Amino acid sequence: MKKVIQSILLYIVSAIGISLTLKADVGVSSFNAMNLSISEWTSIKVGTITFIANLIFLFGYICLCEKKDFRKFTLMFISSLFFGMVINFFLYTIFGTIYVENYLVRIGLFIFGAILAGGTTGIILSLDIIPFPIESLCLRIAELTKRPFSQYRYCVDLFYQ
């Protein structure tokens, strides 16, 4: 249970990091860029789009799993939901009225957010308690095809570009 709580807290920190990179407005990952673009096109909040994207990856992962671990699937669903909610809360509520004009400060904000998001994502993956749906799907496809995980993860990033 302790590692589950750690994973959830790390999901929150990662979402805060993503919110900071989005607020910095100097560039984002391909996954976040696509979510931001869809958000601007549809007027749906970016955290909600992130949740929907994660839900699609989770559904694909569930379909490809031979052994159905509904506890793990439920934890991934709940974590993805809270992940999107935290992104929305920080991006629109906490950081919503803040505008940073200084480009160097925005770069610093982006770097700090990227370190938070990337570092906590790495820890979440190493704990392997509640992995992100996108990585879980890519890992499952890699297992089924006997090809490297990185090949599928890069393909997802290419698709999102």
Side-chain angles (χ1 to χ4, degrees), residues 12-158:
I12 291 168
V13 174
S14 182
I16 293 168
I18 288 170
S19 298
L20 288 169
T21 63
L22 292 169
K23 187 64 183 178
D25 198 25
V26 294
V28 291
S29 71
S30 59
F31 184 72
N32 291 323
M34 178 64 103
N35 295 337
L36 185 59
S37 296
I38 293 171
S39 171
E40 290 176 359
W41 182 60
T42 62
S43 299
I44 299 171
K45 292 181 177 179
V46 70
T48 306
I49 298 296
T50 302
F51 167 67
I52 292 168
N54 277 315
L55 200 57
I56 292 167
F57 288 113
L58 178 58
F59 180 73
Y61 175 63
I62 291 169
C63 289
L64 293 179
C65 284
E66 292 172 7
K67 185 177 132 187
K68 306 297 185 199
D69 184 351
F70 290 103
R71 179 181 175 272
K72 182 176 184 176
F73 300 153
T74 302
L75 283 172
M76 290 172 73
F77 175 84
I78 292 168
S79 296
S80 295
L81 175 63
F82 283 119
F83 189 69
M85 290 170 65
V86 171
I87 289 172
N88 284 342
F89 177 72
F90 276 87
L91 186 61
Y92 299 105
T93 304
I94 301 297
F95 306 140
T97 59
I98 299 169
Y99 182 74
V100 181
E101 290 187 33
N102 185 297
Y103 188 70
L104 288 177
V105 173
R106 289 174 38 205
I107 293 289
L109 196 62
F110 173 80
I111 291 169
F112 181 65
I115 289 169
L116 277 181
T120 53
T121 298
I123 296 169
I124 289 167
L125 293 174
S126 70
L127 287 175
D128 196 30
I129 302 299
I130 313 173
F132 284 98
I134 189 170
E135 277 78 18
S136 297
L137 177 61
C138 291
L139 184 59
R140 183 65 186 137
I141 294 170
E143 289 169 353
L144 291 171
T145 61
K146 309 291 188 230
R147 292 184 179 262
F149 161 82
S150 59
Q151 180 178 354
Y152 294 106
R153 188 60 180 89
Y154 290 142
C155 283
V156 169
D157 286 338
L158 285 173

